[in-house]
């Protein structure tokens, strides 16, 4: 236990001593690998050389027939029979010892010279490692410089790295994909700000005109003042709803705070029951086909999603029209569907209706600012749900939202519905508290 602080301290010092530049670290790595491999090679060579000493001594006395005789150490010598001459045997032994000493001296000399050569090559390997590391990191430096030059004013530029399909090109392509997504998000943000400014400028202009009219008209009566104030109050309410919706969309990336079990059938029944008085006032029929559709999520947000779909279906309808609300379980998903009669919607405009401030008409009629379906998209994205929308042939719009069934755990990617209709899948996260109060129309 006492060694733990010491190990921590040593690790901290080691991290401080570690070079910060990647090129220097790669150079040290290349050099260390070369030195280690060279040292291992030198050790193997030394062991092989020392393991095979000089074990053959040739002696020619000039007389008799030479013989090969082993001694007690396993060494061999070539010469006359040593038993016949003790003096020749002593001489041969002395020659053998001299050969062994010479062999050891050569081995030590080889070891010293190899060590010097290894030191010289270590320096050369460091230089070569520095050059190779620079060559390897050159594409990264080029990409870094290019990324530093890219800003909001030139977001269209890309790295466009050419060459073999290796890891570096894969990294460059990934960065290009990220830049493309950032460019799309920035363009969408610019359009959103421009549309929001336009939507807010119209009621402000109208308010200014009403106030100016009340001040200029010297013959204004109490009834005219009351009428102007009622109009101003209604405009103020519309602005409040618009601001709530804008806050909802601007903070839609925070995600869900909690999940709870719920059933889309219960939510749809509640929304249908509360919407019938308004539908009756507008001369519409609300038809329901309710089936079990258990799922999980934020109940307040799911209620807002269904309420926006129904409000959108009633707001863009025709006299004596109808609104159909359906819930069911299909393919392991809990599905809620809302369709209506109404004016014909061009199929190519269906996906655009889920963008902020997009309406079939040019004005925000009925207090709708074109944010209702955008909020639906944000809530669906927060629940990892899938939206499928299609234009009805006889007019109107059919929107289907598929949630993960309660038995499944929400994942990172949604599974598309098996439907042969134009689909728009959205994965934006949504702020819970603000979406609960948000409203709007298509």
């Amino acid at each position: 236990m006492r060694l733990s602080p010491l190990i921590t301290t040593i690790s901290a010092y080691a991290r401080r001593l570690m070079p910060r530049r990647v090129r220097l670290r790669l150079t040290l790595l290349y050099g260390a690998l070369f030195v280690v491999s060279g040292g291992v090679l030198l050790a193997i060579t030394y062991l092989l050389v020392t393991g095979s000493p000089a074990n053959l001594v040739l002696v020619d006395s000039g007389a008799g027939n030479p013989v090969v005789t082993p001694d007690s150490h396993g060494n061999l010598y070539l010469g006359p029979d040593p038993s016949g001459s003790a003096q020749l045997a002593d001489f041969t032994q002395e020659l053998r010892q001299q050969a062994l000493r010479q062999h050891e001296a050569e081995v030590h000399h080889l070891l010293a010279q190899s060590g010097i050569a290894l030191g010289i090559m270590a320096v050369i390997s460091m230089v070569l490692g520095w050059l190779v590391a620079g060559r390897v990191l050159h594409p990264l430096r080029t990409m870094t410089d290019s990324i530093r030059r890219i800003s909001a004013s030139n977001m269209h530029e890309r790295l466009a790295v050419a060459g073999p399909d290796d890891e570096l090109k894969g990294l460059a392509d990934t960065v290009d994909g990220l830049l493309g997504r950032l460019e799309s998000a920035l363009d969408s943000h610019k359009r959103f700000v421009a549309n929001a400014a336009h939507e807010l400028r119209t009621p402000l202009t109208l308010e200014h005109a009403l106030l100016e009219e009340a001040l200029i008209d010297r013959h204004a009566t109490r009834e005219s003042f009351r009428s102007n104030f009622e109009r101003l109050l209604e405009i103020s309410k519309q602005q409040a709803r618009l601001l709530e919706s804008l806050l909802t969309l601007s903070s839609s990336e925070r995600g869900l705070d909690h999940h709870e079990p719920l059933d889309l059938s219960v939510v749809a029944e509640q929304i249908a029951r509360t919407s019938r008085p308004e539908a009756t006032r507008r001369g519409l029929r609300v038809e329901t086909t309710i089936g079990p559709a258990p799922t999980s999520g934020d109940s307040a947000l799911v209620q807002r999603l269904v309420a926006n779909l129904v409000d959108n279906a009633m707001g863009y309808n025709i006299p004596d029209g109808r609104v159909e609300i359906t819930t069911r379980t299909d393919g392991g998903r809990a599905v809620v569907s809302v369709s209506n009669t109404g004016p014909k919607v061009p199929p190519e405009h269906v996906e655009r209706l889920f963008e902020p401030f997009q309406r079939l008409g040019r004005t925000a009629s009925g207090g709708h600012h074109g944010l209702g379906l955008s909020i639906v998209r944000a809530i669906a994205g927060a629940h990892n749900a899938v939206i499928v929308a299609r234009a009805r042939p006889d007019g109107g719009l059919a929107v289907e939202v598929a949630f993960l069934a309660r038995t499944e755990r929400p994942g990172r990617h949604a599974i598309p519905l098996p439907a042969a209709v134009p689909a728009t899948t959205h994965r934006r996260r949504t702020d819970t508290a603000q979406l609960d109060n948000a409203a709007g129309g298509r």
Side-chain angles (χ1 to χ4, degrees):
M1 296 299 293
R2 295 180 180 179
L3 293 177
S4 180
L6 179 60
I7 295 175
T8 303
T9 304
I10 294 176
S11 300
Y13 278 115
R15 286 193 297 268
R16 291 180 181 179
L17 293 176
M18 183 65 66
R20 295 185 178 181
R21 297 185 62 85
V22 177
R23 185 175 185 180
L24 183 56
R25 290 203 297 267
L26 288 177
T27 301
L28 294 177
L29 177 62
Y30 296 155
L33 289 177
F34 177 82
V35 171
V36 171
S37 60
V40 171
L41 179 62
L42 180 59
I44 294 174
T45 304
Y46 179 78
L47 293 176
L48 292 176
V49 173
T50 55
S52 57
N55 52 10
L56 182 63
V57 178
L58 300 179
V59 178
D60 187 7
S61 62
N65 295 324
V67 296
V68 178
T69 306
D71 61 3
S72 59
H73 301 286
N75 298 320
L76 302 176
Y77 68 88
L78 176 65
D81 187 358
S83 59
S85 175
Q87 184 178 5
L88 182 60
D90 294 340
F91 178 72
T92 303
Q93 184 66 23
E94 183 179 354
L95 289 178
R96 186 183 304 111
Q97 294 297 330
Q98 183 178 358
L100 290 175
R101 289 193 297 271
Q102 183 179 358
H103 177 69
E104 291 178 358
E106 290 177 352
V107 169
H108 285 87
H109 181 72
L110 174 64
L111 182 62
Q113 296 297 325
S114 299
I116 295 173
L118 180 62
I120 296 174
M121 288 305 301
V123 176
I124 296 176
S125 67
M126 288 291 183
V127 176
L128 294 177
W130 177 265
L131 298 177
V132 171
R135 179 66 177 177
V136 171
L137 296 176
H138 179 71
L140 291 178
R141 288 197 301 269
T142 303
M143 287 189 287
T144 302
D145 294 338
S146 300
I147 294 173
R148 285 175 179 172
R149 290 194 303 267
I150 296 176
S151 61
S153 59
N154 58 345
M155 189 64 72
H156 61 279
E157 294 187 7
R158 298 293 182 268
L159 300 180
V161 174
D165 191 11
D166 54 9
E167 289 81 0
L168 292 177
K169 190 176 186 304
L171 175 61
D173 294 341
T174 302
V175 173
D176 286 342
L178 175 61
L179 291 175
R181 293 190 295 273
L182 289 176
E183 183 183 10
S184 300
L186 183 60
D187 292 340
S188 177
H189 175 71
K190 290 179 179 179
R191 291 194 302 269
F192 179 84
V193 172
N195 291 330
H198 175 75
E199 293 289 336
L200 289 172
R201 182 175 58 185
T202 301
L204 288 176
T205 304
L206 183 56
E207 285 182 351
H208 179 80
L210 291 174
L211 292 173
E212 189 177 47
E213 178 184 351
L215 293 175
I216 294 176
D217 188 4
R218 296 182 179 181
H219 303 287
T221 62
R222 180 182 298 179
E223 288 73 16
S224 63
F225 275 112
R226 180 181 294 274
S227 177
N228 283 344
F229 289 156
E230 289 177 351
R231 295 174 65 185
L232 287 172
L233 183 61
E234 182 61 28
I235 294 173
S236 177
K237 290 180 180 179
Q238 292 183 10
Q239 285 181 298
R241 289 195 295 267
L242 175 60
L243 290 175
E244 288 288 346
S245 300
L246 291 175
L247 287 175
T248 295
L249 293 179
S250 65
S251 58
S252 60
E253 295 296 327
R254 287 181 52 185
L256 296 180
D257 294 332
H258 67 282
H259 282 81
E260 58 185 352
L262 58 95
D263 197 319
L264 295 179
S265 61
V266 177
V267 176
E269 285 180 347
Q270 293 176 350
I271 299 300
R273 185 168 55 252
T274 57
S275 300
R276 277 196 171 93
E278 178 66 17
T280 302
R281 188 184 67 84
R282 299 188 181 204
L284 304 174
R285 301 189 311 274
V286 177
E287 301 175 358
T288 59
T289 305
I290 303 299
T295 184
S296 62
D298 191 309
S299 59
L301 293 183
V302 175
Q303 288 178 4
R304 173 53 53 195
L305 180 145
V306 179
N308 275 19
L309 288 177
V310 174
D311 180 68
N312 182 83
M314 291 194 304
Y316 293 88
N317 216 309
I318 57 177
D320 197 24
R322 69 180 184 276
V323 176
E324 300 174 357
I325 305 174
T326 304
T327 61
R328 69 183 188 277
T329 300
D330 184 9
R333 286 187 170 265
V335 181
V336 57
S337 175
V338 178
S339 60
N340 70 326
T341 55
K344 288 190 176 182
V345 180
E348 63 273 12
H349 292 170
V350 171
E351 187 172 354
R352 182 176 62 87
L353 295 177
F354 287 86
E355 296 295 329
F357 305 107
Q358 297 297 324
R359 299 179 295 270
L360 289 178
R362 299 292 298 175
T363 60
S365 60
H368 290 195
H369 299 277
L371 294 175
L373 292 183
S374 299
I375 294 174
V376 168
R377 181 182 66 176
I379 297 175
H383 287 80
N384 212 13
V386 177
I387 301 178
V388 177
R390 62 182 178 85
R392 293 164 57 96
D394 54 349
L397 190 69
V399 181
E400 195 172 77
V401 184
F403 294 82
L404 290 173
R406 188 182 301 173
T407 56
E408 300 181 30
R409 185 176 181 180
R412 187 175 180 84
H413 299 284
I415 303 174
L417 284 176
V421 295
T424 54
T425 303
H426 312 283
R427 298 184 175 86
R428 292 189 180 179
R429 300 186 178 274
T430 310
D431 183 83
T432 304
Q434 293 169 344
L435 266 176
D436 187 25
N437 298 321
R442 189 166 66 214

